[in-house]
Amino acid sequence: MRWVLPVATGLVVGLAAHLVAILIMPYQAPADAWARIATLGPANTVVMVPPAVADSELMPFLDPAFATAACRYDLAAGPLKLRVPVTADYTSVSFYTRYGQAFYGISDRAAGRKVIDVDLMTPQQRALLPSDEEITAADRLIVESPSNTGIAIFRALVREAGARPAIEGLLVRATCGPAN
């Protein structure tokens, strides 16, 4: 029975070390999604993500049935306006923090329009907005980012391979720039 305490202590310490390593991994990864998307273009612009190819994906778990574009955003200079034209089949916009934590997503079905139109800002920037009773939630979709930097991912379903150029042409028309 003298071995129970050392074994239990070893298991608890090992489990704690394992959990700490897993939790800090997103903050220590040198080639995370943010860094890889940075190679495609500057912040606050929409860039096309190359289609998924085995063993050479820009981002992990890309679905080859979707055309994907991304906007690395930086809200330090002020709020951004994102406009994404929708396709006939399915279009979505997902928002992630700099370290990959998802905090908001919307699809064309939820937006109910021909364009997904989002104002992206921090809670502090939203607090500075004038309160206007004539502008309702249906008129303006405001998404609060928990941090100044992050990634917006635009995805559009490509029903058949021949439609990919047209779908990518729609995603290229998406905008991610200063809100005026």
Side-chain angles (χ1 to χ4, degrees):
M1 287 305 232
R2 292 189 326 208
W3 58 272
V4 173
L5 183 60
V7 169
T9 302
L11 286 174
V12 170
V13 170
L15 179 64
H18 179 73
L19 287 174
V20 168
I22 287 176
L23 292 175
I24 66 168
M25 204 175 298
Y27 300 97
Q28 299 301 317
D32 61 359
W34 172 270
R36 287 186 240 152
I37 292 172
T39 64
L40 299 177
N44 299 338
T45 59
V46 176
V47 295
M48 286 302 299
V49 175
V53 178
D55 296 332
S56 65
E57 294 178 324
L58 183 72
M59 296 186 320
F61 308 116
L62 283 178
D63 187 341
F66 283 83
T68 306
C71 171
R72 252 181 352 110
Y73 65 82
D74 186 353
L75 299 172
L80 296 178
K81 169 77 87 182
L82 286 82
R83 294 180 57 84
V84 183
V86 301
T87 62
D89 292 320
Y90 178 80
T91 308
S92 69
V93 180
S94 304
F95 295 92
Y96 301 86
T97 64
R98 160 74 174 84
Y99 298 106
Q101 298 160 333
F103 65 89
Y104 193 82
I106 187 168
S107 72
D108 57 347
R109 306 301 190 258
R113 300 179 181 155
K114 294 190 184 278
V115 175
I116 298 174
D117 202 359
V118 177
D119 289 339
L120 181 65
M121 59 191 70
T122 64
Q124 296 81 10
Q125 292 165 341
R126 180 155 188 192
L128 296 175
L129 287 178
S131 60
D132 189 350
E133 293 178 11
E134 293 181 19
I135 297 176
T136 65
D139 297 326
R140 185 176 188 185
L141 177 60
I142 298 174
V143 174
E144 291 183 12
S145 174
S147 61
N148 278 344
T149 57
I151 304 169
I153 302 290
F154 314 135
R155 292 182 184 94
L157 179 66
V158 179
R159 186 181 296 203
E160 56 190 47
R164 184 169 286 278
I167 300 295
E168 288 178 349
L170 278 174
L171 284 182
V172 167
R173 293 192 346 230
T175 60
C176 175
N180 293 335

